[in-house]
Amino acid sequence: MHNPPSDDEARLFAALPGEWTITRTLPGLGRMTGSARFRPGGPDLLHYREDGKLTLDGGQVLDVYREYHYRLEPGLIRICFAEPGPPRTLHVLRLNQAAASDVHLCGRDTYAGHYEFPDDDRFTVRMRVTGPAKDYSIETTYERAR
């Protein structure tokens, strides 16, 4: 028997499609500004793509992008890397009072993500990255494009 997604995850999933503006701070490295799009890829799948400009603290500007797939599953939203082959999970979101946290181990590095969804037009992702040669935090704010 197929269990339906929880109301919280289904409501959030339904609110994500569309255009978003992004501001990402990378302390000690720079700041990224750009846009993100969530496009439906099926009833329980959203394709995510972000494009932007990363301005390094030294003034150099780089074009950057990321792609993921968001999958609505019973009781959760699974964020997977958009790459060939079997799906590889970045984070699993189980909402608790409009927030969710998860940890992804990539080699010897840990990506601890905390997601906050205060309303349908704004959300924040804080990522703590630690490992033998890594120790930094990233904060990304998403606002619905108007």
Side-chain angles (χ1 to χ4, degrees):
M1 179 175 198
H2 177 71
N3 295 323
S6 76
D7 289 343
D8 290 340
E9 283 82 9
R11 185 201 58 76
L12 172 61
F13 194 81
L16 289 173
E19 301 280 331
W20 298 81
T21 60
I22 303 173
T23 304
R24 178 173 294 132
T25 55
L26 300 104
L29 181 61
R31 177 180 167 96
M32 184 272 221
T33 57
S35 63
R37 287 163 303 289
F38 287 90
R39 292 182 299 105
D44 297 330
L45 176 67
L46 293 174
H47 297 291
Y48 170 90
R49 170 141 179 150
E50 70 179 43
D51 294 279
K53 301 280 185 191
L54 171 61
T55 304
L56 300 175
D57 288 345
Q60 183 181 9
V61 178
L62 305 171
D63 290 324
V64 294
Y65 78 94
R66 287 186 183 169
E67 293 182 297
Y68 297 103
H69 298 287
Y70 282 54
R71 298 178 186 282
L72 183 62
E73 298 178 12
L76 60 91
I77 296 173
R78 182 179 306 277
I79 303 171
C80 296
F81 296 95
E83 59 191 17
R88 203 166 54 95
T89 300
L90 170 64
H91 286 137
V92 172
L93 306 182
R94 290 180 178 91
L95 293 177
N96 181 6
Q97 304 213 337
S101 296
D102 196 16
V103 176
H104 170 76
L105 183 62
C106 183
R108 295 177 20 187
D109 300 327
T110 300
Y111 293 78
H114 181 73
Y115 299 72
E116 294 179 5
F117 303 93
D119 58 54
D120 289 349
D121 293 324
R122 179 178 162 79
F123 67 97
T124 303
V125 178
R126 290 178 184 84
M127 190 81 63
R128 178 84 178 134
V129 182
T130 56
K134 296 180 180 177
D135 187 8
Y136 59 91
S137 295
I138 302 168
E139 183 170 325
T140 306
T141 300
Y142 295 80
E143 294 185 354
R144 174 99 42 209
R146 301 288 176 199

